[in-house]
Amino acid sequence: NIKSIEELPGISQTVINKLIEAGYSSLESLAVASPQDLSVAAGIPLSTAQKIIKEARDALDIRFKTALEVKKERMTVRKITTGSQALDGLLGGGIETRTMTEFFGEFGSGKTQICHQLSVNVQLPPEKGGLSGKAVYIDTEGTFRWERIENMAKALGLDVDNAMSNIYYIRAINTDHQIAIVDDLQELVSKDPSIKLIIVDSVTSHFRAEYPGRENLAVRQQKLNKHLHQLTRLAEVYDIAVVITNQVMARPDMFYGDPTVAVGGHTLYHVPGIRVQLKKSRGNRRIARIVDAPHLPEGEVVFALTEEGVRD
Ligand code: ADP
Ligand code: MG
């Protein structure tokens, strides 16, 4: 199973360097290239270009499949419980591996609590809604609290120190650092296949701070898109659940609009995945609803943020 262009069979390091210099650094970029363009841009024979493109497509499994094959692939997706049956129900059983799930909502809507809970729940055995796995927690806002992990683990009857040891934590200090961390993750997840969950909380805050305003929108979107595609790819290749959060302004007048749609109708980014909007309700109650997931039923559910964690 090939995961990067360095692993393409029968391609010399010299050719790989030429590909990278010509801007073809990912399997995706090779898979969608035309043999002629690739040959000219990288200065390699047409036959080599054709071979590389075929290998890249095979590696990414880009081909016609029957609906039955698609179904069988989806059936092997695994799920992590959120701690709330209602929220699990909304998600079709929980957070899925090989998928990026985004939680977005106003400050205090529960995004970070859900991230903490998932990084504990992923450790549960499958019969209790986990994957007996570990989590990677990328914190951009400095809101990670080990005390919450302890409480949540204790509430589930897990060994507390063990639960804490199964979470790899890192604070990302700016966008370049955040991007570099995800660049390096491939090595970590291939070395430790028990990593089943990657969290980025929040994925957008550094990008917003460093690229403010409409004049920076294009660059910000481009960088963010690339970052998100890289995360999606990790999810797909390593059968990992990726969870990202995104803080958006509270707009009480528009719970049913998508507040991450910029003026002019363009969404902030375009990546496949499941998007869950969170909203504060009375007391410790929170409301969740799914945004544009064609295969999941519409509707909203209520869950609670408690001392023990995410509950019904
Ligand atoms: P967001 O990340 O969306 O800004 P959080 O996930 O940090 O929001 O949610 C904060 C809320 O979580 C608090 O307002 C509170 O309701 C709840 N919460 C945080 N810690 C605890 C705790 N120890 N016990 C009970 N509820 C808590
Ligand atoms: Mg938060």
Side-chain angles (χ1 to χ4, degrees):
N1 198 350
I2 299 171
K3 286 161 182 154
S4 71
I5 74 162
E6 279 80 10
E7 296 170 41
L8 287 169
I11 313 292
S12 71
Q13 191 58 49
T14 319
V15 171
I16 288 170
N17 291 344
K18 284 182 180 172
L19 295 175
I20 294 171
E21 268 167 43
Y24 295 92
S25 54
S26 67
L27 290 172
E28 284 86 351
S29 61
L30 289 170
V32 299
S34 87
Q36 287 74 17
D37 288 350
L38 186 61
S39 165
V40 171
I44 56 177
L46 187 62
S47 59
T48 309
Q50 283 164 336
K51 180 174 180 292
I52 290 172
I53 290 167
K54 183 184 178 306
E55 294 286 359
R57 287 182 184 169
D58 288 349
L60 295 175
D61 204 19
I62 296 176
R63 60 184 172 89
F64 274 110
K65 291 174 191 169
T66 65
L68 186 61
E69 279 180 279
V70 174
K71 177 185 170 186
K72 282 183 177 156
E73 281 178 14
R74 288 307 297 173
M75 297 294 276
T76 65
V77 160
R78 296 182 293 163
K79 290 171 186 178
I80 306 167
T81 181
T82 59
S84 153
Q85 283 187 18
L87 190 50
D88 286 353
L90 183 76
L91 293 161
I95 299 295
E96 292 184 345
T97 60
R98 302 215 291 275
T99 303
M100 184 157 74
T101 305
E102 172 185 340
F103 289 95
F104 69 99
E106 61 190 298
F107 174 77
S109 59
K111 303 179 295 293
T112 297
Q113 296 304 307
I114 290 175
C115 291
H116 281 67
Q117 187 72 63
L118 288 168
S119 54
V120 174
N121 289 3
V122 67
Q123 305 182 37
L124 292 167
E127 64 273 17
K128 288 190 173 163
L131 300 175
S132 302
K134 296 182 188 171
V136 168
Y137 202 114
I138 304 169
D139 180 12
T140 70
E141 297 177 337
T143 51
F144 178 83
R145 295 289 177 273
W146 59 264
E147 294 91 335
R148 295 298 291 139
I149 301 294
E150 275 199 347
N151 283 345
M152 290 173 179
K154 214 176 280 172
L156 291 172
L158 294 172
D159 179 275
V160 170
D161 283 354
N162 199 36
M164 304 259 268
S165 308
N166 286 335
I167 300 171
Y168 295 106
Y169 170 84
I170 188 162
R171 174 83 200 265
I173 54 171
N174 58 30
T175 53
D176 285 339
H177 187 214
Q178 186 177 332
I179 289 165
I181 290 167
V182 173
D183 279 340
D184 292 344
L185 266 187
Q186 165 139 355
E187 206 183 320
L188 184 65
V189 297
S190 55
K191 266 193 209 139
D192 189 347
S194 57
I195 294 172
K196 286 289 142 209
L197 172 67
I198 297 171
I199 285 165
V200 190
D201 180 28
S202 90
V203 84
T204 42
S205 56
H206 285 319
F207 284 90
R208 287 222 174 89
E210 285 171 47
Y211 303 94
R214 291 186 63 82
E215 65 276 23
N216 290 311
L217 196 63
V219 185
R220 180 174 85 191
Q221 254 173 272
Q222 194 186 17
K223 269 195 133 180
L224 186 55
N225 263 325
K226 191 165 171 246
H227 182 56
L228 293 173
H229 277 291
Q230 219 169 347
L231 284 163
T232 308
R233 178 113 178 88
L234 284 173
E236 286 169 356
V237 172
Y238 294 95
D239 191 27
I240 289 173
V242 169
V243 171
I244 60 173
T245 69
N246 179 17
Q247 185 148 312
V248 297
M249 293 293 180
R251 293 278 307 272
D253 53 314
M254 59 168 294
F255 190 45
Y256 285 94
D258 179 348
T260 55
V261 175
V263 187
H266 303 288
T267 351
L268 227 44
Y269 40 77
H270 259 293
V271 279
I274 293 175
R275 309 187 62 214
V276 185
Q277 184 171 10
L278 301 177
K279 200 188 164 196
K280 286 188 204 168
S281 183
R282 196 174 290 209
N284 69 352
R285 307 264 111 194
R286 297 294 184 273
I287 301 168
R289 64 179 272 265
I290 298 228
V291 177
D292 58 50
H295 66 298
L296 292 169
E298 284 194 26
E300 52 184 63
V301 299
V302 177
F303 64 97
L305 301 175
T306 74
E307 175 72 25
E308 285 77 40
V310 177
R311 292 293 184 275
D312 279 305

